[in-house]
Amino acid sequence: MTGLGDGSRVEKDHLRICAMGDIDELNSEIGVLMTEQIPEGISAELHELFLQVQHDLFDLGGELCIPNYKLLNPEHVAQLDVWLEKYNQQLPPLTEFILPGGTRAAAQAHVCRTVCRRAERSIVRLGWEEPLYDSPRQYVNRLSDLLFVLARILNRAAGGSDVLWKHEKKRD
């Protein structure tokens, strides 16, 4: 058993604890991403973005830790949408699937994205069993999209490009 922020006790494998663990892991993976070599032209900007996301994720974990408690607001989700629009405008449209890779920083952004998707699934699953506010689910949904876009930005800023998936039938 383990304690929640409101003093209640739940099993260590309770859906709430699993969701909290996935958010904690995501926050740690973003910390790793912040240690990677990020191209100088976007380094300070992305460092601030990632630091804000880490603070938001800490709040999200706090919200999950205390049933019926709210820390994330629609404004947090709206900020992700602003960043998504800003960085998406800098990229060419996708015409093919891309593979996680390129630079180490871009690859780590993809790792963060996949952990974020798992956290989203955990939060959705918890929401089937217990009432949750909308912002945590919406936040991780938009954040995974942003991490995908930022992986592409990181590759481009380093002078590279997306790593395209080549379907077997299209290979030369």
Side-chain angles (χ1 to χ4, degrees):
M1 302 290 285
T2 191
L4 296 177
D6 65 355
S8 63
R9 311 269 311 154
V10 296
E11 296 84 10
K12 288 269 189 185
D13 63 349
H14 188 279
L15 293 174
R16 186 171 293 277
I17 301 303
C18 293
M20 289 166 48
D22 288 343
I23 292 300
D24 188 32
E25 181 181 353
L26 172 58
N27 211 342
S28 297
E29 290 288 1
I30 289 173
V32 172
L33 174 55
M34 292 171 70
T35 68
E36 291 294 342
Q37 179 113 19
I38 295 179
E40 193 173 312
I42 60 170
S43 179
E45 180 180 336
L46 289 189
H47 180 79
E48 287 302 314
L49 184 156
F50 291 137
L51 191 59
Q52 182 58 55
V53 166
Q54 283 193 305
H55 281 86
D56 292 349
L57 289 173
F58 203 84
D59 286 344
L60 196 161
E63 186 168 326
L64 291 171
C65 181
I66 305 170
N68 301 312
Y69 191 65
K70 185 172 180 133
L71 286 169
L72 283 186
N73 298 305
E75 293 79 22
H76 292 95
V77 178
Q79 178 59 62
L80 295 177
D81 288 334
V82 167
W83 287 328
L84 265 166
E85 184 176 339
K86 173 184 177 178
Y87 290 108
N88 248 330
Q89 287 178 354
Q90 299 173 30
L91 295 168
L94 276 178
T95 57
E96 299 285 340
F97 289 110
I98 67 168
L99 299 174
T103 66
R104 282 183 55 93
Q108 180 61 30
H110 280 292
V111 170
C112 292
R113 174 187 57 81
T114 61
V115 173
C116 191
R117 285 289 187 204
R118 179 169 17 101
E120 180 183 12
R121 291 188 301 271
S122 294
I123 291 169
V124 166
R125 178 71 178 102
L126 174 62
W128 285 112
E129 302 294 324
E130 298 182 20
L132 293 177
Y133 292 103
D134 290 335
S135 292
R137 185 190 72 257
Q138 293 168 345
Y139 188 89
V140 292
N141 177 270
R142 299 300 198 305
L143 180 57
S144 64
D145 291 344
L146 179 61
L147 290 164
F148 176 82
V149 167
L150 291 177
R152 296 183 68 205
I153 289 288
L154 286 163
N155 275 335
R156 287 219 173 337
S161 62
D162 298 321
V163 180
L164 300 179
W165 172 67
K166 294 181 181 169
H167 188 272
E168 185 177 314
K169 292 178 183 175
K170 293 183 179 181
R171 292 185 189 148
D172 295 328

